[in-house]
Amino acid sequence: MTDLFGLEVLEFDPIRPVRKIISHQGVFATSHLHPARLWCDLIEPKGCQVLATYSKDFYAGTPAVTMNTFGLGKAIYIGTMSHQPFYIDLVVWLRQMSGLQPLLKVPENIEVSMREKEGTRVFFLLNHQNSPVRIQFYKPMHDYLTAALLR
């Protein structure tokens, strides 16, 4: 895994959720400091780019999140577990870095996936809430479940 991630994990340490990770050199912008939970990997970079570091205690200043170029892609290594806002920051950053755009503009708890064959696109919208959601479409859509034309 050293070739893929460009690092070596020297050891890991089970912890109480008291340490924090912080963005490093503005490469991976975060909304705020995020907690490191359950464990911290002691990472020795071997060619990878450090995206975030631990900010407290024994690990202060050491890598927490790294990125390495491998083949035609990039490998991200996260040396701890965090909370949901950290992963939201990470996904937003990865989308920006990759130039990915959402398939449709929908509320946060709506999952969108798409299948395409021979120029026809079929979108699947899944509501992960306990209440109905109204979605505004900007061009007519066909509802295959009810055979209705949605506008």
Side-chain angles (χ1 to χ4, degrees), residues 3-5 67-76 94 97-98:
D3 290 342
L4 174 62
F5 291 108
M67 179 171 63
N68 189 51
T69 299
F70 186 80
L72 298 176
K74 297 189 181 300
I76 307 286
L94 288 170
M97 183 179 71
S98 302

Side-chain angles (χ1 to χ4, degrees), residues 51 71 86 94 113 117 120 124 135:
L51 300 179
F86 166 77
L94 288 170
S113 62
K117 184 175 182 180
T120 299
F124 298 87
I135 297 175

Side-chain angles (χ1 to χ4, degrees), residues 36-57:
R37 297 180 173 169
L38 297 180
W39 86 90
C40 290
D41 284 343
L42 183 56
I43 296 169
E44 180 180 318
K46 300 218 181 249
C48 64
Q49 178 183 8
V50 176
L51 300 179
T53 60
Y54 298 105
S55 65
K56 284 189 170 183
D57 305 326

Side-chain angles (χ1 to χ4, degrees), residues 22-30 49-53 67 93 96:
I22 185 172
S23 67
H24 178 74
Q25 297 179 350
V27 175
F28 167 45
T30 61
Q49 178 183 8
V50 176
L51 300 179
T53 60
M67 179 171 63
W93 179 75
Q96 290 170 348

Side-chain angles (χ1 to χ4, degrees), residues 4 11 20 27 32 34 40 48 52 59-60 66 72 76 81 87 91 101 106 109 111 120 126 128 132 135-136 146:
L4 174 62
E11 62 181 271
K20 305 278 187 186
V27 175
H32 56 283
H34 296 291
C40 290
C48 64
Y59 289 103
T66 66
L72 298 176
I76 307 286
M81 286 185 67
Y87 298 103
V91 168
Q101 299 298 320
V106 295
N109 290 327
E111 177 184 343
T120 299
L126 301 174
H128 292 285
I135 297 175
Q136 174 78 34
T146 65

